Amino acid sequence: MPSSAPVPVTARTPLSNRPNPASVSANDPRSWAWIAGLVLVGGGFAVLAVLLLNARRRQKQGTDRPLTRPAATPAPQPPQPTAPPTLAPLPPPPPMEPPKPRVTAPVIRPWLEVDFVPRRAGQNLTGAAVEFELAVRNIGSRPATDVRVLVQLLTANPQQNAHLAAAFGQPVDNPVIAPFELAPGELIAVNGFGTLPVDKISKVEMQGRPMFVPIMAVRVVYGWAENRGPSGSTANAYILGIDRDGQNKMQPFWMDQGPRMADRIAYRLHDMGIRQ
């Protein structure tokens, strides 16, 4: 058999033969190295223990210390409405003096007024007819000169206001009587007769019957010596009907009864008029 190589044997020192640190002699140089190592190791552990202890104390102190939170900032409040400044009451105004009456110079001119009195009205053989009397009076302070009385007979219709305006603007070349003068306070009566051809009558159907309503337009134009402006003028329109014993309503003029004139005539004053 082949022989194996010899294995080297390391000799071990028995534990009883190892040097004891406690029993190392002070004069042995190795003792100082051992002690220094122990001192260094013990000192290191001591320093580490002191550092750990201080760290735990700081941590405990930090844990036990109550937390101080920053004070909460109050939310901004909306601006409160402020009452408007109050003004001191004004002193009461002094009592007003009553207005003084205006002193105006008297109007030095004639003023003519007209009263209308219907005598008869109705329909004759040629058309509508109205017989009337006018009373023309000068209530002014100066004589009226070149007084002209003009009349025109119309009948009620939807365009009557336009027709009246045209009648009040007619030329004054054809008065019912010759021009005359009228002193202050003087009155003159004028009798007249107004006619309207049958084909010019505005017929109105009422309950199946034809009828018409006469309107008499009266205009008086005059002047005076001191006048440098337009002539004086008084104009009125009178709506005619048959009187019903003092009742408010007037009876119209029926056209299906042939020519007939009524004696009891009433009238209402139209809204249109002139006084200048």
Side-chain angles (χ1 to χ4, degrees), residues 243-255:
D243 190 14
R244 287 184 172 181
D245 296 330
Q247 297 182 14
N248 290 331
K249 283 189 175 181
M250 299 182 298
Q251 180 180 331
F253 295 88
W254 301 107
M255 300 183 67

Side-chain angles (χ1 to χ4, degrees), residues 9-110:
V9 177
T10 303
R12 298 183 178 178
T13 303
L15 293 178
S16 59
N17 296 329
R18 291 181 182 178
N20 189 356
S23 61
V24 175
S25 173
N27 296 323
D28 190 350
R30 291 176 302 173
S31 63
W32 293 105
W34 181 260
I35 293 172
L38 290 178
V39 171
L40 291 176
V41 172
F45 279 110
V47 172
L48 180 61
V50 171
L51 292 177
L52 291 176
L53 182 60
N54 290 337
R56 293 188 62 184
R57 286 180 180 178
R58 293 191 187 97
Q59 184 178 5
K60 185 176 181 180
Q61 290 177 359
T63 304
D64 296 340
R65 183 180 303 168
L67 297 177
T68 58
R69 296 179 180 179
T73 304
Q77 297 295 328
Q80 298 295 330
T82 58
T86 57
L87 301 177
L90 297 176
M96 297 181 61
E97 297 182 358
K100 297 181 180 180
R102 296 178 59 184
V103 179
T104 58
V107 178
I108 304 176
R109 56 160 291 178

Side-chain angles (χ1 to χ4, degrees), residues 109-113 135-144 181-189:
R109 56 160 291 178
W111 282 108
L112 298 189
E113 288 189 347
V136 183
R137 179 185 295 107
N138 183 2
I139 63 172
S141 58
R142 286 291 184 267
E181 294 186 1
L182 202 59
E186 187 179 2
L187 181 146
I188 186 172

Side-chain angles (χ1 to χ4, degrees), residues 10-274:
T10 303
R12 298 183 178 178
T13 303
L15 293 178
S16 59
N17 296 329
R18 291 181 182 178
N20 189 356
S23 61
V24 175
S25 173
N27 296 323
D28 190 350
R30 291 176 302 173
S31 63
W32 293 105
W34 181 260
I35 293 172
L38 290 178
V39 171
L40 291 176
V41 172
F45 279 110
V47 172
L48 180 61
V50 171
L51 292 177
L52 291 176
L53 182 60
N54 290 337
R56 293 188 62 184
R57 286 180 180 178
R58 293 191 187 97
Q59 184 178 5
K60 185 176 181 180
Q61 290 177 359
T63 304
D64 296 340
R65 183 180 303 168
L67 297 177
T68 58
R69 296 179 180 179
T73 304
Q77 297 295 328
Q80 298 295 330
T82 58
T86 57
L87 301 177
L90 297 176
M96 297 181 61
E97 297 182 358
K100 297 181 180 180
R102 296 178 59 184
V103 179
T104 58
V107 178
I108 304 176
R109 56 160 291 178
W111 282 108
L112 298 189
E113 288 189 347
V114 178
D115 292 330
F116 175 78
V117 181
R119 297 300 184 190
R120 301 172 66 210
Q123 182 180 357
N124 57 22
L125 294 176
T126 60
V130 175
E131 185 180 349
F132 61 89
E133 180 181 347
L134 300 177
V136 183
R137 179 185 295 107
N138 183 2
I139 63 172
S141 58
R142 286 291 184 267
T145 61
D146 196 25
V147 181
R148 297 170 181 252
V149 180
L150 303 104
V151 297
Q152 184 173 347
L153 182 59
L154 308 171
T155 52
N157 62 86
Q159 290 80 32
Q160 63 187 16
N161 288 352
H163 294 168
L164 284 173
F168 291 158
Q170 289 289 336
V172 296
D173 300 335
N174 191 24
V176 295
I177 61 174
F180 57 92
E181 294 186 1
L182 202 59
E186 187 179 2
L187 181 146
I188 186 172
V190 178
N191 295 315
F193 201 84
T195 60
L196 183 67
V198 66
D199 60 340
K200 300 295 184 181
I201 297 176
S202 297
K203 301 177 183 179
V204 179
E205 293 288 334
M206 179 179 291
Q207 298 176 355
R209 300 177 60 187
M211 45 83 67
F212 72 97
V213 177
I215 299 178
M216 179 61 72
V218 178
R219 180 186 178 201
V220 178
V221 181
Y222 57 97
W224 60 97
E226 299 85 357
N227 183 30
R228 298 296 181 268
S231 301
S233 180
T234 302
N236 294 316
Y238 306 92
I239 304 172
L240 305 178
I242 300 175
D243 190 14
R244 287 184 172 181
D245 296 330
Q247 297 182 14
N248 290 331
K249 283 189 175 181
M250 299 182 298
Q251 180 180 331
F253 295 88
W254 301 107
M255 300 183 67
D256 57 357
Q257 297 177 350
R260 178 177 296 187
M261 298 291 290
D263 296 332
R264 301 177 60 180
I265 307 301
Y267 71 89
R268 302 288 184 270
L269 191 64
H270 197 278
D271 293 338
M272 292 187 65
I274 297 175

